Amino acid sequence: MGDIPEFKRGQIVGARLAGASVTKTESLCDVSRATVSRVMSAYHQEGRTTSNRINCGRKRKLSERDVWVVTRIVSKKHKTTAAQITAELNVHLNSPVSTRTVRRELHRVNIHSRAAIAKPLVTRANAKPRFQWCKERTSWAVDNVKHVLFSDESTLTVFPTSGRVMVWISPKEAYHPDCCMPRVKHGGDCCRQYRMSSIVSCNIFGQLPP
């Protein structure tokens, strides 16, 4: 009876108590005669219309505390692999679990492995002057911006690798600094060409920060 929705069970009991025959109830509720009999037997014997299937199925291998440990590992090492997470977790467990179990528990708490979002590499040394440069020009009008030429057509490469990097993240952590992959300019010539173009195009407003 556990696979029958609670609302459907209520309909069956209501129809029978209203005087409908088993055949009529079977037709009204679109269920089999055996289902009608089973639902009504449970109602007359135990006075219930809900399922008693509580805590059924296979029990989870990890407790809530174990899942908390997994999430702590991920929060400190977003770029670690599922195998490494499992190995670190099993150190604290009496009964080791598989990588598949760890993945399933992470997915259950809405943490998934996703490709890291690429972003320009901005170090602490040049973040402050860039912010200050932008802050000084917050009063720019549209006409000011029309006189600026933005040129950025040089080749980019992922730093430190050109491959895709996977990270374990929740939806709200997509742009967390530890979950992003910084990019740097490819080749010194391209970088110098970009800087010269930017300074020449913006020299009427002052030199760009580093």
Side-chain angles (χ1 to χ4, degrees):
M1 193 171 72
D3 58 342
I4 306 172
E6 184 175 345
F7 180 74
K8 180 71 71 175
R9 291 193 290 268
Q11 283 184 316
I12 294 172
V13 173
R16 291 290 289 141
L17 293 179
S21 64
V22 174
T23 303
K24 183 66 174 179
T25 303
E26 175 186 356
S27 176
L28 289 174
C29 300
D30 193 23
V31 293
S32 65
R33 178 179 290 267
T35 298
V36 175
S37 299
R38 189 165 67 250
V39 170
M40 291 308 299
S41 295
Y43 176 74
H44 289 304
Q45 293 174 9
E46 304 175 28
R48 62 179 176 83
T49 60
T50 58
S51 174
N52 63 347
R53 295 181 64 186
I54 302 175
N55 294 329
C56 59
R58 184 176 180 178
K59 292 185 177 180
R60 290 165 47 200
K61 292 185 177 181
L62 296 180
S63 65
E64 289 300 325
R65 178 172 177 79
D66 296 332
V67 175
W68 178 82
V69 172
V70 174
T71 57
R72 288 285 294 174
I73 294 173
V74 171
S75 66
K76 294 180 179 179
K77 306 174 184 177
H78 287 281
K79 296 183 177 69
T80 190
T81 64
Q84 292 170 335
I85 297 172
T86 304
E88 187 169 345
L89 173 67
N90 284 335
V91 174
H92 307 283
L93 300 179
N94 294 327
S95 301
V97 295
S98 66
T99 302
R100 184 176 180 181
T101 298
V102 171
R103 283 200 190 97
R104 183 171 60 248
E105 291 297 334
L106 285 171
H107 293 169
R108 187 177 65 84
V109 295
N110 206 18
I111 297 178
H112 300 269
S113 179
R114 298 286 187 262
I117 296 176
K119 69 174 186 65
L121 176 62
V122 180
T123 63
R124 290 183 178 271
N126 58 22
K128 186 175 180 179
R130 288 190 179 201
F131 176 75
Q132 185 62 30
W133 188 90
C134 295
K135 189 175 180 180
E136 292 171 355
R137 290 160 177 80
T138 53
S139 60
W140 272 16
V142 177
D143 291 338
N144 297 120
V145 180
K146 289 181 179 178
H147 291 84
V148 179
L149 175 63
F150 295 95
S151 176
D152 189 9
E153 298 181 357
S154 56
T155 303
L156 294 174
T157 182
V158 177
F159 175 78
T161 173
S162 59
R164 185 174 64 169
V165 176
M166 306 299 291
V167 292
W168 290 96
I169 56 174
S170 61
K172 63 181 181 181
E173 295 177 317
Y175 290 94
H176 190 281
D178 293 338
C179 302
C180 293
M181 199 62 198
R183 285 181 180 268
V184 295
K185 293 296 177 180
H186 178 72
D189 294 339
C190 294
C191 181
R192 285 195 295 271
Q193 182 179 1
Y194 167 79
R195 248 186 93 77
M196 289 178 63
S197 299
S198 299
I199 293 174
V200 170
S201 60
C202 300
N203 62 358
I204 59 174
F205 304 111
Q207 186 173 346
L208 287 172

